[in-house]
Each structure stands twice: as structure tokens, then as C-alpha cells.
Amino acid sequence: MTARSTRRTTAAHSRLAAVGAIAVAGALLLTGCGDQTKDKSKDSGASSAGAPLGSKLPADIRNKGEIKVGSDIAYAPVEFKDSSGNVTGLDPDLAAALGKQLGVKLTFENGTFDGLLTGLRSGRYDIAMSAMTDNKNRQQGVDPDTGKKVGEGVDFVDYLTAGVSIYTRKGETQGITGWADLCGKKIAVERGTVSEDLAKQEAKKCPGGKKLSIEPFDDDQQSQTRLRSGGVDAASSDFPVAAYAVKTSGGGKDFQTVGQQVEAAPYGIAVSKEATQLRDALQAAMNAIIKNGEYAKILQKWGAQDGAVKQSVINGGK
């Protein structure tokens, strides 16, 4: 979940609505998982027999029968480990559906979010699928802090729309209703996310004597733990994750969201610029499950139906 560049701020409901009510689909595991170790507890896909789109894949992947997926598996309900340690969530379910269309297994391998694109560039992963926002900085390989090019960039196969939310301890909002209220406060974020980018932007606006302190963590579970303990005043995550934490943590007694979600934008599957055949095969598979209704069923299962797209596009992020 690599640094997301800033997009024009917009209230959630002014564009395609982001993910709605989050379904409780398994116990939320509150342990960090960003250890760069392989996690093959969820192989998503099917054999090539009867796969309608298998011929669209590059021959090496088709022969291997596997697509390696880099993911930060600590971002419930998008991807996380259930109480039995199995990888589950919206992305793994969508990946399984894509695998049926393509006749291969999509194997999730765990890593810290800000290292996923590096892993993709090095060949550790074939794709990255981890609630990753599609934006121009990532497409072009630009560092959002410096504006300098740091890599060749990636292409995205877009599949969902979601925004960013702030949440606090329940009943302890401390007057926070949005980003402009954070000056003089402390906020926890996951490193390399849009939430971190927005916090850095807001910090630059704060007047002297009212500094916004930003505490970045390797995964969202660590941010939640920091907020729960009272170490920070607020935390920020993508709306689906914030809403799930509010609904599940402490039986719904730990947190509450404040204000509206902002920065509604597409989630995309990241693919190397050179892997155009793989990219196009994934897009074809995504559009196939949108058309056959399996996509809608998966989004309904995870409460993500309000973020549905009618068609998967390449590099739709701004």
C-alpha cells in the first residue's frame, strides 16, 4: 500500500464514491506483516485447462503457471491474514478470479508497502497488488517529495476507486474534523502512502508553534496500535481500511472516522513498463470478471461495491 503522489483534493462524494460500508469478513489480525518474506498461504487461480484468456499471457508465465504478487498483507479488508494465518481480503479474491480467467496461480508474497515497486523493478515480483493508488508520479517513476525521477515508472491496471480518511480514538476527536485541524497534533500514517503525502503537505501549512508531527510506520497495523495506545492524536488510511478498523477494532469501541474522505482515485495493479503483454492480459481478465458478474460479487462480499468501476483502464490515475 511506494509513495503516492498528491492529487487534487476532493470530497469523496464529488467523484466516484469510494468504498462504502465495510463487511466484517474474518477476525482482524493485529500483528505487523511487512517482513519481506514469502507468504504462499494463498495461491489464487486455476490451471490453464479451460482458461478463456490463458493465451493472452506471455509464454514464460503461461509455462510457469504462476504470477508472483508483491503485497503488504496487513491492510484489512483489502489484504490481510485471518485468524488462521491465511491470506484473505478483497485483492486476493479478485486475484483468484483473474487466475481462473488466465489459467495461472497468483501467489501473494508479503513485503512492506514502500518496497513493493522496488521489488517489482528488481524482478522479485511480477506484479504488485496492494491497494496501490494509480497516479502520475508512480507511472513516471517520480519521487513526490523531490519531484525528481527515481525510476522508470510502472503501468497500472485499474480496478477500484477509493479515498483517504482520518480517524481518532472514539470520543476523543480533539476538534479534528479534517486535515486543516491537524496543526499542533500528532498523526500516524503508513510509510509511502497518500496519507503520508497529505500529512507532509499539511505540515508545511502549519503556523509557527503549531507543528504537525508525523509518525510513519511500516504497516497500517502499527499505526493503529500507536493511536490505540494514545501515542498520537489521529491516524490516516485509505477509506476502506479506516472504515474496517473503526468497525472491528475493540468490537467497534476503539476508533471513529472524522470528516470526509478525500483524494478519491483508482487502485491499480502495478506492472513493469516492459511487461505490456502481461499488463494487457490482466486488463482483459479484469474486464471479463466485471462483465460476468464475479467482480460485483467479490466487492459486495467485502463491502466495496460503492468503489466499483464499470471498466478496467490502463493508467487512469491523475
Side-chain angles (χ1 to χ4, degrees), residues 3 8 55 59 71 98 130 155-156 168 176 202-203 208 228 232 238 262 269 283:
R8 179 168 58 86
S55 63
S71 188
L98 297 178
S130 193
D155 285 336
F156 285 97
T168 67
I176 300 171
E202 200 59 47
R228 194 180 294 107
V232 293
D238 287 0
V262 299
I269 302 170
Q283 183 193 24

Side-chain angles (χ1 to χ4, degrees), residues 46-239:
S47 69
S48 58
L53 299 176
S55 63
K56 290 184 174 292
L57 284 170
D60 61 333
I61 288 181
R62 189 167 61 247
N63 293 336
K64 185 172 56 175
E66 179 187 49
I67 296 174
K68 293 183 292 183
V69 184
S71 188
D72 176 10
I73 309 172
Y75 212 55
V78 187
E79 49 260 321
F80 64 107
K81 292 182 180 181
D82 64 18
S83 57
S84 299
N86 298 315
V87 178
T88 189
L90 173 67
D91 279 354
D93 281 359
L94 287 173
L98 297 178
K100 292 175 185 176
Q101 293 291 321
L102 297 169
V104 295
K105 293 179 179 179
L106 278 75
T107 305
F108 278 68
E109 300 188 1
N110 193 39
T112 55
F113 183 75
D114 62 351
L116 294 182
L117 293 191
T118 301
L120 182 62
R121 285 192 291 267
S122 70
R124 178 184 177 91
Y125 316 121
D126 297 310
I127 64 175
M129 189 175 187
S130 193
M132 186 174 289
T133 301
D134 170 10
N135 58 42
K136 292 299 182 185
N137 280 347
R138 286 195 174 124
Q139 294 170 23
Q140 298 168 2
V142 172
D143 185 317
D145 291 332
T146 65
K148 295 181 179 179
K149 192 170 178 63
V150 293
E152 67 274 21
V154 296
D155 285 336
F156 285 97
V157 178
D158 295 343
Y159 64 95
L160 192 76
T161 299
V164 178
S165 291
I166 299 171
Y167 55 105
T168 67
R169 290 183 298 282
K170 196 161 189 174
E172 299 179 46
T173 65
Q174 301 188 61
I176 300 171
T177 61
W179 291 91
D181 301 318
L182 291 173
C183 293
K185 305 290 197 305
K186 295 180 181 179
I187 187 169
V189 296
E190 182 173 0
R191 188 175 288 108
T193 61
V194 170
S195 293
E196 184 180 29
D197 290 346
L198 289 173
K200 288 178 178 178
Q201 281 187 19
E202 200 59 47
K204 293 177 182 178
K205 304 175 188 177
C206 292
K210 293 195 69 178
K211 178 183 177 182
L212 167 56
S213 297
I214 304 167
E215 296 191 13
F217 293 91
D218 284 341
D219 65 56
D220 198 70
Q221 299 304 322
Q222 294 172 8
S223 295
Q224 291 181 26
T225 299
R226 183 66 167 156
L227 176 61
R228 194 180 294 107
S229 69
V232 293
D233 303 299
S236 176
S237 307
D238 287 0
F239 175 71

